Amino acid sequence: MTVLIDEPMWPAHGTIWGHLVSDDSLEELHRFARAAGLPARSFDLDHYDVPVDRHDELVAAGAVPVSYRELVVRLRSSGLRVRGRDRDAERAHRGTRSAH
């Protein structure tokens, strides 16, 4: 059971963003995010979008830094990954929207 974080490299809204995921459960991910004070609006179906200025803080709190590729591989292996083509339908089903 691990919370993983990739290196921020996705520009949007005047900053650079990375992703925070769990390789075990969404419950683990939400617990970690709540403890770190991440806003619920930053959750996007299978990950939290996190700005570059929070990266080091989240690593210090226990998130394990990995490459984007490893993050996706481990998220897929966990069964928690929501595929790109399924994202709109899943958002409609869950009543959520993209953080960016």
Side-chain angles (χ1 to χ4, degrees):
M1 296 186 286
T2 306
V3 173
L4 308 167
I5 191 167
D6 65 358
E7 190 66 33
M9 65 176 142
W10 309 98
H13 308 290
T15 192
I16 308 297
W17 299 83
H19 305 98
L20 186 74
V21 305
S22 169
D23 68 355
D24 181 61
S25 71
L26 291 179
E27 293 79 20
E28 175 186 47
L29 179 60
H30 292 310
R31 269 194 314 275
F32 185 94
R34 276 192 306 273
L38 294 177
R41 71 180 177 275
S42 65
F43 180 67
D44 189 15
L45 302 176
D46 58 7
H47 69 275
Y48 280 83
D49 293 312
V50 294
V52 65
D53 64 343
R54 300 286 311 267
H55 184 269
D56 291 344
E57 171 192 342
L58 295 169
V59 170
V64 176
V66 296
S67 68
Y68 175 71
R69 177 170 164 61
E70 182 175 350
L71 182 135
V72 171
V73 166
R74 291 184 54 185
L75 186 59
R76 283 182 185 150
S77 295
S78 74
L80 298 173
R81 176 75 174 142
V82 177
R83 297 179 306 182
R85 67 180 181 207
D86 298 331
R87 294 186 86 69
D88 288 339
E90 189 64 23
R91 281 190 191 107
H93 173 74
R94 293 187 191 188
T96 62
R97 57 191 174 97
S98 175
H100 47 227

